[in-house]
Coordinates of all heavy atoms in Angstrom, one line a residue:
M612 N -8.5 8.8 -35.5 CA -8.3 8.8 -34.2 C -6.8 8.5 -33.9 O -6.4 7.4 -34.4 CB -9.3 7.7 -33.6 CG -9.1 7.7 -32.0 SD -10.1 6.4 -31.2 CE -11.7 7.4 -31.4
T613 N -6.2 9.2 -33.2 CA -4.8 9.0 -32.9 C -4.7 7.9 -31.6 O -5.6 7.6 -31.0 CB -4.0 10.2 -32.3 OG1 -4.6 10.7 -31.1 CG2 -4.2 11.4 -33.4
A614 N -3.4 7.4 -31.5 CA -3.2 6.5 -30.5 C -3.5 7.1 -29.0 O -4.0 6.4 -28.2 CB -1.8 6.0 -30.6
L615 N -3.2 8.3 -28.9 CA -3.4 9.1 -27.6 C -4.8 9.1 -27.3 O -5.4 8.9 -26.3 CB -2.9 10.6 -27.6 CG -3.0 11.2 -26.3 CD1 -2.3 10.5 -25.1 CD2 -2.4 12.6 -26.4
D616 N -5.7 9.5 -28.4 CA -7.2 9.5 -28.3 C -7.8 8.0 -27.9 O -8.6 8.0 -27.0 CB -7.9 10.0 -29.6 CG -7.5 11.5 -29.8 OD1 -7.2 12.2 -28.8 OD2 -7.5 11.8 -30.9
R617 N -7.2 7.2 -28.6 CA -7.7 5.8 -28.3 C -7.3 5.4 -26.7 O -8.2 4.7 -26.1 CB -7.1 4.9 -29.2 CG -7.7 3.4 -29.4 CD -7.1 2.7 -30.4 NE -7.3 3.2 -31.7 CZ -6.3 3.6 -32.5 NH1 -5.1 3.3 -32.1 NH2 -6.4 4.2 -33.7
A618 N -6.1 5.6 -26.4 CA -5.7 5.3 -25.0 C -6.5 6.1 -24.1 O -6.9 5.6 -23.0 CB -4.3 5.7 -24.8
T619 N -6.9 7.4 -24.3 CA -7.7 8.0 -23.3 C -9.1 7.5 -23.2 O -9.7 7.3 -22.2 CB -7.8 9.5 -23.9 OG1 -6.5 10.1 -23.9 CG2 -8.6 10.5 -22.9
I620 N -9.6 7.0 -24.3 CA -11.0 6.5 -24.3 C -11.0 5.2 -23.5 O -11.7 4.8 -22.8 CB -11.5 6.3 -25.7 CG1 -11.8 7.7 -26.3 CG2 -12.7 5.4 -25.8 CD1 -12.1 7.7 -27.9
E621 N -9.9 4.3 -23.9 CA -9.9 3.1 -23.2 C -9.7 3.1 -21.8 O -10.3 2.2 -21.1 CB -8.7 2.2 -24.0 CG -9.1 1.9 -25.4 CD -7.9 1.1 -26.1 OE1 -6.8 1.0 -25.4 OE2 -8.0 0.7 -27.2
T622 N -8.9 3.9 -21.3 CA -8.5 4.1 -19.8 C -9.5 4.9 -19.2 O -9.7 4.8 -17.8 CB -7.1 4.6 -19.7 OG1 -7.1 5.9 -20.1 CG2 -6.1 3.7 -20.3
G623 N -10.4 5.7 -19.8 CA -11.3 6.5 -19.2 C -10.7 7.8 -18.5 O -11.4 8.5 -17.7
R624 N -9.4 8.1 -18.8 CA -8.7 9.2 -18.1 C -8.6 10.3 -19.2 O -8.2 10.1 -20.3 CB -7.4 8.8 -17.7 CG -7.4 7.9 -16.4 CD -5.9 7.5 -16.3 NE -5.5 7.4 -15.0 CZ -4.3 6.9 -14.7 NH1 -3.5 6.7 -15.6 NH2 -4.0 7.0 -13.4
A625 N -9.0 11.4 -18.8 CA -8.8 12.6 -19.8 C -7.4 13.2 -19.6 O -6.9 13.9 -20.5 CB -9.8 13.6 -19.6
G626 N -6.9 13.0 -18.5 CA -5.4 13.5 -18.3 C -5.2 13.5 -16.9 O -6.0 13.0 -16.1
F627 N -4.1 14.2 -16.5 CA -3.8 14.3 -15.0 C -4.3 15.6 -14.5 O -4.5 16.5 -15.1 CB -2.3 14.3 -14.9 CG -1.7 13.1 -15.4 CD1 -1.0 13.0 -16.5 CD2 -1.8 11.9 -14.6 CE1 -0.4 11.7 -16.9 CE2 -1.1 10.7 -14.9 CZ -0.5 10.6 -16.1
S628 N -4.8 15.5 -13.3 CA -5.3 16.7 -12.6 C -4.5 16.9 -11.3 O -4.0 16.0 -10.8 CB -6.8 16.6 -12.5 OG -7.1 15.6 -11.4
L629 N -4.6 18.1 -10.9 CA -4.0 18.5 -9.7 C -4.6 17.8 -8.5 O -4.0 17.4 -7.6 CB -3.9 20.0 -9.5 CG -3.1 20.6 -8.4 CD1 -1.6 20.0 -8.4 CD2 -3.1 22.0 -8.3
S630 N -6.0 17.9 -8.5 CA -6.7 17.2 -7.4 C -6.5 15.7 -7.3 O -6.4 15.2 -6.3 CB -8.1 17.4 -7.6 OG -8.7 16.8 -8.7
G631 N -6.2 15.0 -8.5 CA -6.0 13.6 -8.6 C -4.6 13.4 -8.0 O -4.4 12.5 -7.2
L632 N -3.6 14.3 -8.4 CA -2.4 14.2 -7.8 C -2.3 14.3 -6.3 O -1.5 13.5 -5.6 CB -1.4 15.2 -8.6 CG 0.1 15.1 -8.1 CD1 0.9 13.8 -8.4 CD2 0.8 16.3 -8.7
A633 N -3.0 15.3 -5.7 CA -3.0 15.5 -4.4 C -3.7 14.4 -3.6 O -3.1 14.0 -2.6 CB -3.7 16.9 -4.1
R634 N -4.7 13.8 -4.1 CA -5.3 12.7 -3.5 C -4.5 11.5 -3.5 O -4.3 10.8 -2.4 CB -6.6 12.4 -4.3 CG -7.4 11.2 -3.7 CD -8.8 10.9 -4.4 NE -8.7 11.0 -5.9 CZ -8.3 9.8 -6.5 NH1 -8.0 8.6 -6.0 NH2 -8.2 9.8 -7.9
R635 N -3.7 11.3 -4.6 CA -2.7 10.1 -4.7 C -1.6 10.4 -3.7 O -1.2 9.3 -2.9 CB -2.3 10.1 -6.1 CG -1.3 8.9 -6.3 CD -2.0 7.6 -6.4 NE -0.9 6.6 -6.8 CZ -1.0 5.3 -6.3 NH1 -2.0 5.0 -5.9 NH2 -0.1 4.6 -6.8
T636 N -1.1 11.5 -3.5 CA 0.0 12.0 -2.7 C -0.5 11.8 -1.2 O 0.3 11.0 -0.4 CB 0.5 13.2 -2.9 OG1 0.9 13.5 -4.3 CG2 1.6 13.7 -2.0
L637 N -1.6 12.2 -0.9 CA -2.2 11.9 0.5 C -2.4 10.5 0.9 O -2.2 10.1 1.9 CB -3.3 12.8 0.7 CG -3.2 14.3 0.8 CD1 -4.5 15.1 0.9 CD2 -2.4 14.7 2.0
S638 N -2.9 9.9 -0.2 CA -3.2 8.4 0.1 C -1.8 7.7 0.3 O -1.7 6.8 1.1 CB -3.9 7.8 -1.3 OG -4.1 6.5 -1.2
L639 N -0.8 8.0 -0.5 CA 0.6 7.4 -0.3 C 1.1 7.7 1.0 O 1.6 6.8 1.8 CB 1.5 7.7 -1.4 CG 1.1 7.0 -2.8 CD1 2.1 7.7 -3.9 CD2 1.3 5.5 -2.8
A640 N 0.8 8.9 1.4 CA 1.5 9.3 2.7 C 0.7 8.6 3.9 O 1.3 8.1 4.8 CB 1.3 10.8 3.0
Y641 N -0.6 8.6 3.8 CA -1.3 7.8 4.9 C -1.0 6.3 4.8 O -0.8 5.7 5.9 CB -2.8 7.8 4.5 CG -3.7 6.8 5.2 CD1 -4.0 7.3 6.6 CD2 -4.2 5.6 4.7 CE1 -4.8 6.4 7.4 CE2 -4.9 4.8 5.5 CZ -5.2 5.1 6.8 OH -6.1 4.3 7.4
R642 N -0.6 5.7 3.7 CA -0.3 4.3 3.6 C 1.0 4.1 4.2 O 1.3 3.1 5.0 CB -0.2 4.0 2.1 CG 0.1 2.4 2.1 CD -1.0 1.6 1.5 NE -0.7 0.2 1.2 CZ -0.9 -0.9 2.0 NH1 -1.6 -0.7 3.1 NH2 -0.5 -2.1 1.4
A643 N 2.1 5.1 4.1 CA 3.4 5.0 4.6 C 3.2 5.2 6.2 O 3.9 4.4 6.9 CB 4.2 6.1 4.0
I644 N 2.5 6.0 6.7 CA 2.2 6.1 8.1 C 1.6 5.0 8.7 O 2.1 4.4 9.7 CB 1.4 7.4 8.4 CG1 2.3 8.6 8.1 CG2 1.0 7.4 10.0 CD1 1.4 10.0 8.1
K645 N 0.7 4.3 8.1 CA 0.0 3.1 8.5 C 1.0 1.9 8.5 O 1.1 1.2 9.5 CB -1.1 2.8 7.5 CG -2.0 1.6 7.9 CD -3.1 1.4 7.0 CE -3.8 0.0 7.2 NZ -4.8 -0.1 6.2
M646 N 1.8 1.8 7.4 CA 2.8 0.9 7.4 C 3.9 1.0 8.6 O 4.2 -0.1 9.2 CB 3.6 0.8 6.1 CG 4.6 -0.3 5.8 SD 5.6 0.0 4.4 CE 6.3 1.6 4.7
R647 N 4.3 2.1 8.9 CA 5.3 2.5 9.9 C 4.7 2.0 11.3 O 5.3 1.3 12.1 CB 5.7 3.9 9.9 CG 6.8 4.2 10.8 CD 7.2 5.6 10.9 NE 6.2 6.4 11.3 CZ 5.9 7.6 10.9 NH1 6.6 8.1 10.0 NH2 4.9 8.3 11.4
N648 N 3.3 2.5 11.5 CA 2.7 2.0 12.7 C 2.6 0.5 12.9 O 2.7 0.0 14.0 CB 1.4 2.7 12.9 CG 1.6 4.2 13.1 OD1 2.5 4.6 13.3 ND2 0.6 5.0 12.7
E649 N 2.1 -0.2 11.9 CA 2.0 -1.6 11.9 C 3.2 -2.3 12.2 O 3.4 -3.2 13.0 CB 1.5 -2.1 10.6 CG 0.1 -1.8 10.4 CD -0.5 -2.1 9.0 OE1 0.3 -2.7 8.2 OE2 -1.7 -2.0 8.7
R650 N 4.4 -1.9 11.5 CA 5.7 -2.4 11.8 C 6.2 -2.2 13.2 O 6.7 -3.1 13.8 CB 6.7 -1.8 10.8 CG 8.0 -2.4 10.8 CD 8.9 -1.8 9.6 NE 8.5 -2.2 8.3 CZ 8.6 -1.6 7.2 NH1 9.3 -0.5 7.3 NH2 8.1 -2.0 6.2
A651 N 5.9 -0.9 13.8 CA 6.3 -0.7 15.0 C 5.5 -1.6 16.1 O 6.1 -2.1 17.1 CB 6.1 0.7 15.4
A652 N 4.2 -1.6 15.9 CA 3.3 -2.6 16.7 C 4.1 -4.1 16.8 O 3.9 -4.7 17.8 CB 2.0 -2.6 16.3
L653 N 4.2 -4.6 15.6 CA 4.7 -6.0 15.5 C 6.1 -6.1 16.1 O 6.3 -7.0 16.7 CB 4.8 -6.4 14.0 CG 3.4 -6.7 13.5 CD1 3.6 -7.0 11.8 CD2 2.7 -8.0 14.1
Q654 N 7.0 -5.0 15.9 CA 8.4 -5.2 16.5 C 8.2 -5.1 18.0 O 9.1 -5.7 18.7 CB 9.2 -4.0 16.0 CG 9.6 -4.1 14.6 CD 10.6 -5.1 14.4 OE1 11.2 -5.7 15.4 NE2 10.8 -5.4 13.0
A655 N 7.3 -4.5 18.6 CA 7.1 -4.4 20.1 C 6.5 -5.7 20.6 O 6.6 -5.9 21.8 CB 6.1 -3.2 20.4
M656 N 5.9 -6.6 19.8 CA 5.4 -7.9 20.3 C 6.5 -8.8 20.8 O 7.4 -8.9 20.0 CB 4.4 -8.5 19.3 CG 3.2 -7.8 19.0 SD 2.3 -8.9 17.8 CE 0.7 -7.9 17.7
P657 N 6.2 -9.6 21.7 CA 7.2 -10.7 22.0 C 7.1 -11.7 21.1 O 6.2 -12.0 20.4 CB 6.7 -11.0 23.5 CG 5.3 -10.6 23.6 CD 5.1 -9.5 22.7
D658 N 8.1 -12.6 21.0 CA 8.3 -13.6 20.1 C 7.2 -14.6 20.1 O 6.8 -15.2 19.0 CB 9.6 -14.3 20.2 CG 10.8 -13.4 19.7 OD1 10.5 -12.6 18.9 OD2 11.8 -13.8 20.1
F659 N 6.6 -15.0 21.2 CA 5.6 -15.9 21.4 C 4.2 -15.5 20.7 O 3.5 -16.3 20.2 CB 5.3 -16.4 22.8 CG 4.8 -15.5 23.8 CD1 3.3 -15.4 23.9 CD2 5.5 -14.6 24.3 CE1 2.7 -14.5 24.7 CE2 4.8 -13.7 25.3 CZ 3.5 -13.7 25.5
L660 N 4.1 -14.2 20.9 CA 2.9 -13.7 20.1 C 3.0 -13.6 18.6 O 2.0 -14.0 17.8 CB 2.6 -12.3 20.7 CG 1.9 -12.1 22.1 CD1 1.7 -10.7 22.4 CD2 0.6 -12.9 22.1
L661 N 4.2 -13.3 18.2 CA 4.4 -13.4 16.7 C 4.2 -14.8 16.2 O 3.6 -14.9 15.1 CB 5.8 -12.9 16.4 CG 6.1 -11.3 16.6 CD1 7.5 -11.0 16.4 CD2 5.1 -10.6 15.7
K662 N 4.7 -15.8 17.0 CA 4.6 -17.1 16.6 C 3.0 -17.5 16.5 O 2.6 -18.2 15.7 CB 5.3 -18.0 17.6 CG 5.3 -19.4 17.3 CD 6.1 -20.3 18.2 CE 6.1 -21.8 17.8 NZ 6.8 -22.6 18.8
D663 N 2.2 -17.0 17.5 CA 0.9 -17.3 17.5 C 0.1 -16.9 16.3 O -0.8 -17.3 15.8 CB 0.2 -16.6 18.7 CG 0.5 -17.4 20.0 OD1 0.9 -18.5 20.0 OD2 0.1 -16.9 21.1
I664 N 0.5 -15.7 15.7 CA -0.1 -15.2 14.6 C 0.6 -15.7 13.2 O 0.1 -15.5 12.2 CB -0.2 -13.7 14.4 CG1 1.3 -12.9 14.6 CG2 -1.0 -13.1 15.6 CD1 1.3 -11.5 14.4
G665 N 1.7 -16.4 13.4 CA 2.2 -17.2 12.3 C 3.3 -16.4 11.5 O 3.6 -16.7 10.3
I666 N 4.1 -15.6 12.2 CA 5.2 -14.9 11.6 C 6.3 -14.8 12.5 O 6.2 -15.0 13.7 CB 4.9 -13.5 11.0 CG1 4.6 -12.5 12.2 CG2 3.8 -13.4 10.0 CD1 4.5 -11.1 11.9
S667 N 7.5 -14.7 11.9 CA 8.7 -14.6 12.8 C 9.3 -13.1 12.8 O 8.7 -12.4 11.9 CB 9.8 -15.5 12.2 OG 10.3 -15.1 11.0
R668 N 10.0 -12.9 13.6 CA 10.6 -11.4 13.7 C 11.1 -10.9 12.2 O 11.0 -9.9 11.8 CB 11.5 -11.2 14.8 CG 11.8 -9.8 15.2 CD 12.3 -9.6 16.5 NE 11.5 -10.1 17.5 CZ 10.5 -9.4 18.1 NH1 10.2 -8.2 17.5 NH2 9.7 -9.8 19.1
S669 N 12.0 -12.0 11.7 CA 12.5 -11.7 10.3 C 11.5 -11.4 9.2 O 11.9 -10.8 8.1 CB 13.5 -12.7 10.1 OG 12.7 -13.9 9.8
Q670 N 10.3 -11.8 9.4 CA 9.2 -11.6 8.3 C 8.3 -10.4 8.4 O 7.6 -10.0 7.7 CB 8.4 -12.8 8.3 CG 9.0 -14.2 7.9 CD 8.1 -15.2 8.1 OE1 7.3 -15.3 9.1 NE2 8.0 -16.2 7.2
I671 N 8.7 -9.6 9.6 CA 7.9 -8.3 9.8 C 7.9 -7.3 8.7 O 7.0 -6.9 8.3 CB 8.3 -7.6 11.1 CG1 7.8 -8.6 12.4 CG2 7.6 -6.3 11.2 CD1 8.4 -8.2 13.6
E672 N 9.3 -7.1 8.1 CA 9.5 -6.2 7.1 C 8.7 -6.6 5.8 O 8.1 -5.9 5.2 CB 10.9 -6.2 6.8 CG 11.3 -5.3 5.7 CD 11.3 -3.8 6.0 OE1 11.5 -3.5 7.2 OE2 11.3 -3.0 5.3
Y673 N 8.6 -7.8 5.5 CA 7.9 -8.4 4.3 C 6.6 -8.2 4.5 O 5.9 -7.8 3.5 CB 8.2 -10.0 4.1 CG 7.4 -10.5 3.0 CD1 7.8 -10.4 1.8 CD2 6.3 -11.3 3.3 CE1 6.8 -10.8 0.7 CE2 5.5 -11.8 2.4 CZ 5.9 -11.7 1.0 OH 5.2 -12.2 0.2
Y674 N 5.9 -8.5 5.6 CA 4.4 -8.4 5.7 C 3.9 -7.1 5.9 O 2.6 -6.8 5.7 CB 3.9 -9.3 6.9 CG 3.9 -10.8 6.6 CD1 4.9 -11.6 7.3 CD2 3.0 -11.3 5.8 CE1 4.8 -13.0 6.9 CE2 3.0 -12.7 5.4 CZ 3.9 -13.4 6.0 OH 3.8 -14.7 5.8
T675 N 4.9 -6.1 6.2 CA 4.3 -4.7 6.2 C 4.9 -3.7 5.1 O 4.7 -2.6 5.2 CB 4.7 -4.1 7.7 OG1 6.3 -4.1 7.7 CG2 4.2 -4.8 8.8
C676 N 5.5 -4.3 4.1 CA 5.9 -3.5 3.0 C 4.7 -3.2 2.1 O 3.8 -3.6 2.1 CB 6.9 -4.3 2.1 SG 6.3 -5.6 1.3
V677 N 5.0 -2.1 1.3 CA 4.0 -1.5 0.5 C 4.0 -2.5 -0.8 O 5.0 -2.7 -1.4 CB 4.4 0.0 -0.1 CG1 3.5 0.4 -1.1 CG2 4.4 0.8 1.1
R678 N 2.8 -2.9 -1.0 CA 2.6 -3.7 -2.4 C 1.9 -3.0 -3.4 O 1.1 -2.1 -3.0 CB 1.9 -5.1 -2.0 CG 2.7 -5.9 -0.9 CD 2.0 -7.2 -0.6 NE 2.6 -7.9 0.3 CZ 2.4 -7.8 1.6 NH1 1.8 -6.9 2.1 NH2 3.3 -8.7 2.4
L679 N 2.1 -3.4 -4.6 CA 1.4 -2.8 -5.8 C -0.2 -3.0 -5.6 O -0.9 -2.1 -6.0 CB 1.9 -3.3 -7.1 CG 3.3 -2.9 -7.5 CD1 3.7 -3.6 -8.8 CD2 3.5 -1.4 -7.4
A680 N -0.6 -4.1 -5.2 CA -2.1 -4.4 -5.1 C -2.2 -4.8 -3.7 O -2.4 -6.0 -3.4 CB -2.5 -5.3 -6.0
P681 N -2.5 -4.1 -2.8 CA -2.7 -4.4 -1.3 C -4.0 -5.2 -1.2 O -5.0 -4.9 -2.0 CB -2.6 -3.1 -0.6 CG -3.0 -2.1 -1.4 CD -2.5 -2.5 -2.8
S682 N -4.1 -6.1 -0.2 CA -5.3 -6.8 -0.1 C -6.5 -6.0 0.7 O -7.5 -6.3 0.5 CB -5.0 -8.1 0.9 OG -4.5 -7.5 2.1
D683 N -6.1 -4.9 1.3 CA -7.2 -4.1 1.9 C -7.8 -3.2 0.9 O -7.2 -3.0 -0.3 CB -6.6 -3.3 3.1 CG -5.5 -2.3 2.7 OD1 -4.8 -2.6 1.7 OD2 -5.1 -1.5 3.6
T684 N -8.9 -2.7 1.1 CA -9.5 -1.9 0.1 C -9.7 -0.4 0.4 O -10.6 0.3 0.5 CB -11.1 -2.3 0.0 OG1 -11.6 -2.1 1.6 CG2 -11.3 -3.8 -0.4
D685 N -8.4 0.2 0.4 CA -8.3 1.5 0.6 C -8.1 2.3 -0.7 O -7.7 3.5 -0.6 CB -7.0 1.8 1.5 CG -5.7 1.5 1.0 OD1 -5.6 0.8 -0.1 OD2 -4.7 1.8 1.6
G686 N -8.4 1.7 -1.9 CA -8.4 2.4 -3.1 C -7.1 2.4 -3.7 O -6.8 3.1 -4.8
M687 N -6.0 1.9 -3.1 CA -4.7 1.9 -3.7 C -4.5 0.8 -4.8 O -3.4 0.5 -5.2 CB -3.7 1.7 -2.7 CG -3.7 2.8 -1.6 SD -3.0 4.4 -2.3 CE -1.3 3.8 -2.6
D688 N -5.4 0.0 -5.2 CA -5.1 -1.3 -5.9 C -5.4 -0.9 -7.5 O -6.0 -1.7 -8.2 CB -6.1 -2.4 -5.5 CG -7.4 -2.0 -5.6 OD1 -7.8 -0.8 -5.7 OD2 -8.3 -2.9 -5.3
R689 N -4.8 0.2 -7.8 CA -4.9 0.6 -9.2 C -3.7 0.2 -10.1 O -2.7 0.2 -9.6 CB -5.2 2.1 -9.5 CG -6.5 2.5 -8.9 CD -6.6 3.9 -8.9 NE -7.2 4.1 -7.7 CZ -7.6 5.2 -7.2 NH1 -7.3 6.3 -7.8 NH2 -8.3 5.4 -6.1

């Protein structure tokens, strides 16, 4: 058994597929649009509302950035 065969068995992936690539691309595009909308909504809020939810205006970029393992369950945590 080669290292490639072993890696394929361990990860459960037989290879890359076009449908998987398309799904991943659409998922990333959706996540980028969602991030942009969240950032715009937070930027539009007055400072007292941002303070109520516990962030400052300078932290908006950090809280809306793309993370490798997001806390929501949209399937992007691979």
Side-chain angles (χ1 to χ4, degrees):
M612 179 181 288
T613 66
L615 181 59
D616 293 333
R617 196 173 303 117
T619 301
I620 291 169
E621 289 174 1
T622 60
R624 291 170 143 177
F627 296 105
S628 67
L629 187 57
S630 64
L632 178 64
R634 183 176 47 84
R635 178 80 172 151
T636 303
L637 288 174
S638 180
L639 287 172
Y641 170 76
R642 182 112 172 104
I644 291 168
K645 183 178 171 184
M646 179 184 62
R647 187 180 65 210
N648 290 339
E649 289 172 353
R650 191 173 290 156
L653 287 171
Q654 289 287 352
M656 287 183 178
D658 289 333
F659 73 92
L660 285 178
L661 291 174
K662 185 177 178 183
D663 283 348
I664 61 174
I666 64 172
S667 66
R668 193 161 298 281
S669 63
Q670 294 173 319
I671 291 173
E672 180 80 21
Y673 172 76
Y674 284 112
T675 58
C676 70
V677 175
R678 295 181 182 85
L679 292 177
S682 60
D683 58 346
T684 57
D685 63 351
M687 296 285 294
D688 54 351
R689 294 174 216 177

